[in-house]
Structures are given as structure tokens and as C-alpha cells.
Amino acid sequence: MQQIEIRRPEPGDCQELHQFFRSVITDTFAKENLADLVEDIEQEIKTKESYLKIDYDSLGVDRYFLLAIANKQIIGTIEYGPFSRLIHELTQGALQNMVEIGTVLVHPEYQQQGIGSLLLNVLLLSLRNKGIEEFCLDSGYNRAQKYWMKKLGEPDYRFENYWSEGNDHMIWRRQTSDIPVIFKIYQP
């Protein structure tokens, strides 16, 4: 079984993380048949880079990242922080003061192997240890929505055709204690 290390980002990880964001986000847009949305791709990458900077600058207080490492390479990320403006607008502030889990990215070669689940489990344990009992999560990607529905059930908010015809936006609100923490890594 391959060893996966879950750890906080270190200053020397910044450049590799920027490349990781670019690679995975570009791949995600392509798999969603959205590769032509170059400006949106660039904005998504910049957002993830700014979240990482907030983590570094606040030492994990204002944004908190975890990395999955295999063979000395970053293969996955997850983070939590204040909920996004989009969530605030769509829910009309109903999730105010709640943390949002986001930046759940797994390298294409490691998808469908339990890396996202492992990252989520470790982050949920971190949230519970910090006394955070509730979180929200949103997704506008069809493939990711299927994953989150499998993990979290039906979303609490669904905005049909939000991005375009057939492309909804979904938001989940959950208690950290509602999600069973199970460590399971799948072998390809």
C-alpha cells in the first residue's frame, strides 16, 4: 500500500501548490467541458492561490489547508475558512459565521482512490478538535456534485441551471458529527 502523508503546507510548498492548482483546475474544467472558459479558470486559480496566502499569513487561523503527499509530491488539498460571497448571496446569509470546506482538489492520477475522503476525514477531525460543529460546502462542478451527494447526501440548497442549462450549483450544510470519519484508501 502506498503511503499517504497528510500535513499542513510549509513555505517551500508554495510554488508546487501553485502548479498543482493550475494543473488540477485546468483538468477539472476540461472534464466538465468548460475548457474554453479561460478567464474563469484563471480566476479559480487566483482564488486558490489567495486562500493559500491567507493560510500562510495567518499561520492557519484565517484559512487552514491540509495537503496529501505521496512520493514526495502534492497529490491533494483541502481547506476551510470563512464561507464565500457566493454562498452568502445564494443563501441570503443563512449560513453566516459558518466555516466552508473548500479547495478539495485531487491530482487526476490519484482520483477515485480515496484521497479526497482521506483529506475530508482528517479535516473533519481537525474541525471537531477545534470545537467547530458545523460547516458548509458548495459545488458547481457536475462530477464533484456526484461525489458530494454520495458523501453528504442531497444538498440543502440547489440552484438549477445556475451556471448554464443543466449546470446547477449546490450547497450542503452539515454537522461535523453527522459525517462518520472512516479511513479507507483504495488501491488502483
Side-chain angles (χ1 to χ4, degrees), residues 127-186:
L127 291 173
R128 290 177 189 174
N129 287 338
K130 292 178 183 191
I132 298 171
E133 298 175 358
E134 198 169 26
F135 68 92
C136 62
L137 181 145
D138 74 332
S139 179
Y141 302 122
N142 290 323
R143 294 180 65 214
Q145 290 168 348
K146 290 175 186 168
Y147 173 83
W148 291 118
M149 284 193 283
K150 191 174 174 182
K151 276 282 183 217
L152 305 175
E154 286 296 315
D156 296 278
Y157 301 88
R158 180 187 296 258
F159 302 91
E160 292 187 14
N161 303 316
Y162 182 81
W163 299 105
S164 63
E165 185 67 33
N167 291 305
D168 302 345
H169 195 78
M170 300 178 187
I171 302 172
W172 289 263
R173 175 184 189 164
R174 295 291 181 270
Q175 299 288 317
T176 56
S177 60
D178 289 344
I179 313 302
V181 177
I182 300 170
F183 291 94
K184 185 175 182 182
I185 298 290
Y186 301 95

Side-chain angles (χ1 to χ4, degrees), residues 84-126:
S84 69
R85 181 182 307 142
L86 179 61
I87 290 175
H88 178 74
E89 291 170 3
L90 291 176
T91 65
Q92 299 176 348
L95 306 181
Q96 195 156 336
N97 300 321
M98 192 173 299
V99 299
E100 174 188 359
I101 293 177
T103 317
V104 185
L105 302 171
V106 177
H107 190 282
E109 293 176 16
Y110 289 88
Q111 292 175 2
Q112 305 294 315
Q113 296 179 37
I115 305 303
S117 294
L118 178 61
L119 283 163
L120 178 63
N121 287 336
V122 175
L123 189 67
L124 286 172
L125 288 172
S126 296

Side-chain angles (χ1 to χ4, degrees), residues 11-116:
D13 296 325
C14 191
Q15 186 63 34
E16 183 181 353
L17 275 164
H18 285 198
Q19 292 170 350
F20 175 81
F21 293 152
R22 178 165 298 284
S23 172
V24 176
I25 291 168
T26 301
D27 179 73
T28 300
F29 271 71
K31 286 178 179 170
E32 293 284 336
N33 296 316
L34 302 171
D36 58 324
L37 300 177
V38 177
E39 288 181 30
D40 291 341
I41 292 169
E42 289 303 317
Q43 183 57 49
E44 185 77 6
I45 292 166
K46 287 185 189 319
T47 297
K48 302 309 181 195
E49 290 174 351
S50 72
Y51 287 175
L52 180 62
K53 183 174 181 345
I54 292 168
D55 179 310
Y56 281 137
D57 291 348
S58 72
L59 302 175
V61 173
D62 297 329
R63 289 264 171 207
Y64 183 89
F65 269 80
L66 290 173
L67 311 179
I69 310 292
N71 300 319
K72 299 182 182 180
Q73 292 184 320
I74 297 168
I75 62 166
T77 62
I78 193 168
E79 58 85 25
Y80 79 86
F83 70 102
S84 69
R85 181 182 307 142
L86 179 61
I87 290 175
H88 178 74
E89 291 170 3
L90 291 176
T91 65
Q92 299 176 348
L95 306 181
Q96 195 156 336
N97 300 321
M98 192 173 299
V99 299
E100 174 188 359
I101 293 177
T103 317
V104 185
L105 302 171
V106 177
H107 190 282
E109 293 176 16
Y110 289 88
Q111 292 175 2
Q112 305 294 315
Q113 296 179 37
I115 305 303

